[in-house]
Amino acid sequence: MNKKLNILFLFLSVMIFAQQKPSLFLIGDSTMADKENPEKNPEHGWGQMLPIVMTSGIAIQNHATNGRSSKSFRTEGRWDKVVKQLKKGDFVIIQFGHNDQKVNDSSRFTNPYTQYRANLERYVTETRAKGATPILMTSIVRRNFNENGVLVDTHKEYPLVVRMVANDLKVAFVDLQLLTEQMEISYGPEKSKKLHLHFAEGENPYYPKGKDDDTHLSKLGAETVAKLAANSLKNLKIGLEKYIK
C-alpha cells in the first residue's frame, strides 16, 4: 500500500510541477519560425535556436509562422491557439512587421499607424488579461547594403510604431532592429552573407539552383540573433532572466 501511495504522490508532484512550469510563447513571422528538415535545411528562424540559450525550467512554444503579419496571424486563428493556453506567469514575445508591409496583399497588409498599432495593442492587452507578460520586439533588419557599404533600412515606420506601443503601454521591449543592424554592420557587406542564405548553383543540395536571400537567416545568423535576443531579455528583469543560460 505504501509503495502505491508513494507512486501516486510522485505522479501528483510531477503533474503539479508541470502545471506550474511557465511557458514562453513566440508569435511572429518566418524570421522567427521553426523550419522543417533542420538537419538539411540551411534556413533557420531565430526562435528555432532560442532553446539552446534557455534552461529546461521553461517550456518554449514557437508559434511564429512563415508569411504571417500581425493581421493574418490573428485572422487565421493562430493567436486563439496561444490565448487558450496562456496562464499567469507565462511570457509572449510579439514580433511582426515584415509581412505587414505587403501593400499588394489585403490579407496581410496593415497601415503602420492604425491597424498595425491596434493589432500590437490587442496582443499586449489580451496577454496581460491572462496574467502573462508581453514582450514587444522590432523586426530584424534585412541585409541591404548600398554601393557605399551603408546598411539601408527597409522597414520604415513599423519599428517606430513598436517602440511607441512599448513606451505608451509600458511593455517590455527588445530592439532587435538595432541589435541586428549592429550585427550586420560588424560583419560587413561581404561577410554578412554568412548570416543569410547565399549559395551558388550546385553549392548546397538543398538549393541546387542557388539562393540569394538577404531576409532569412542561416543557422549561424539565427543562433547569433537568438543570443542577442536572450541577452536583452536577461536585462529586462521581468522574471524571464532566471530561465536564460
Side-chain angles (χ1 to χ4, degrees):
M1 178 64 76
N2 286 338
K3 185 176 182 181
K4 289 182 178 179
L5 286 174
N6 287 337
I7 293 173
L8 178 61
F9 179 76
L10 179 62
F11 174 75
L12 290 173
S13 298
V14 170
M15 290 297 294
I16 291 170
F17 177 77
Q19 290 175 352
Q20 292 177 337
K21 189 176 183 178
S23 294
L24 171 62
F25 294 87
L26 311 183
I27 66 171
D29 54 43
S30 58
T31 60
M32 179 196 273
D34 291 343
K35 309 298 176 179
E36 61 181 11
N37 301 323
E39 299 303 319
K40 297 180 179 179
N41 188 354
E43 182 183 345
H44 289 68
W46 72 261
Q48 188 173 4
M49 307 305 291
L50 199 57
I52 68 173
V53 295
M54 307 291 290
T55 72
S56 59
I58 190 166
I60 300 176
Q61 288 197 34
N62 189 358
H63 288 259
T65 309
N66 291 8
R68 271 57 185 187
S69 70
S70 68
K71 180 181 180 180
S72 63
F73 192 86
R74 181 183 288 276
T75 57
E76 292 176 1
R78 297 177 186 277
W79 175 238
D80 287 340
K81 293 178 182 178
V82 174
V83 170
K84 288 176 182 176
Q85 300 180 67
L86 275 181
K87 64 184 184 298
K88 186 176 181 180
D90 286 344
F91 303 86
V92 181
I93 294 177
I94 305 158
Q95 186 193 51
F96 293 102
H98 275 92
N99 299 301
D100 286 81
Q101 292 182 291
K102 306 289 186 182
V103 71
N104 294 319
D105 186 343
S106 62
S107 68
R108 294 189 286 177
F109 175 75
T110 60
N111 180 304
Y113 292 114
T114 55
Q115 295 179 67
Y116 180 64
R117 174 166 183 142
N119 288 343
L120 295 183
E121 289 176 344
R122 284 185 67 188
Y123 286 126
V124 168
T125 56
E126 290 169 10
T127 297
R128 285 174 167 170
K130 287 284 192 171
T133 301
I135 303 161
L136 284 171
M137 292 190 179
T138 45
S139 297
I140 68 169
V141 300
R142 293 183 174 92
R143 178 187 165 276
N144 185 43
F145 289 93
N146 67 15
E147 64 276 8
N148 299 312
V150 175
L151 187 70
V152 179
D153 173 62
T154 64
H155 288 114
K156 301 181 180 179
E157 303 96 332
Y158 292 89
L160 173 61
V161 173
V162 180
R163 295 182 182 94
M164 292 167 64
V165 173
N167 182 67
D168 293 348
L169 299 187
K170 306 297 184 240
V171 186
F173 171 67
V174 173
D175 197 348
L176 268 191
Q177 182 191 32
L178 172 62
L179 295 174
T180 55
E181 182 179 278
Q182 293 170 336
M183 174 189 74
E184 300 282 355
I185 292 171
S186 70
Y187 272 77
E190 191 59 34
K191 288 184 179 180
S192 58
K193 289 180 180 179
K194 296 178 182 178
L195 302 169
H196 298 275
L197 305 170
H198 284 266
F199 301 101
E201 184 175 347
E203 182 181 352
N204 189 291
Y206 208 83
Y207 301 113
K209 295 183 179 180
K211 186 81 170 176
D212 286 297
D213 183 341
D214 291 316
T215 297
H216 300 100
L217 299 165
S218 64
K219 187 174 182 178
L220 171 65
E223 187 172 326
T224 303
V225 175
K227 289 177 179 178
L228 290 172
N231 286 335
S232 290
L233 289 169
K234 186 181 293 186
N235 293 330
L236 290 177
K237 305 299 180 186
I238 56 174
L240 190 57
E241 59 276 3
K242 59 187 173 185
Y243 305 111
I244 300 172
K245 291 178 183 177

